[in-house]
């Protein structure tokens, strides 16, 4: 399935803000239950990349969130 992501890299829309909050809640739940593994992060990011409301701006927000939670870790957010 070819997902058409928003091209606007401006402020996050209300739908994107909601996705970001849902991502934060899922990450927090994983951390509190069993810790956050690289496989967990890969699955969450893959799921979000397939969502039609995800933009480069939102992926940047997600990257910052993960860097805050897991300093020193490297994550791939490539679109391809």
């Amino acid at each position: 399935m070819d997902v058409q992501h928003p091209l606007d890299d401006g402020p996050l829309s209300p739908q994107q803000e909601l996705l970001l909050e849902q991502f934060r809640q899922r990450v927090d739940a994983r951390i509190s239950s069993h810790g956050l593994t690289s496989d967990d992060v890969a699955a969450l990011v893959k799921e979000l990349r397939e969502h039609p409301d995800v933009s480069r701006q939102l992926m940047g927000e997600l990257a910052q969130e993960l860097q805050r939670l897991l300093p020193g870790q490297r994550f791939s957010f490539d679109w391809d």
Side-chain angles (χ1 to χ4, degrees), residues 10-72:
L12 298 180
S13 70
Q15 294 87 355
Q16 291 172 323
E17 290 284 350
L18 180 61
L19 280 174
L20 181 58
E21 184 55 35
Q22 289 171 346
F23 176 81
R24 288 179 177 143
Q25 290 172 358
R26 292 180 69 194
V27 167
D28 288 344
R30 298 258 171 116
I31 289 172
S32 65
S33 68
H34 67 271
L36 188 65
T37 68
S38 59
D39 288 340
D40 291 335
V41 172
L44 288 168
V45 169
K46 180 181 184 304
E47 180 182 322
L48 286 171
R49 285 181 51 198
E50 293 171 352
H51 195 286
D53 288 333
V54 173
S55 65
R56 292 185 196 283
Q57 178 68 16
L58 181 55
M59 291 304 284
E61 295 284 336
L62 297 175
Q64 289 178 3
E65 185 72 16
L66 288 172
Q67 301 240 337
R68 181 185 67 78
L69 293 169
L70 303 166

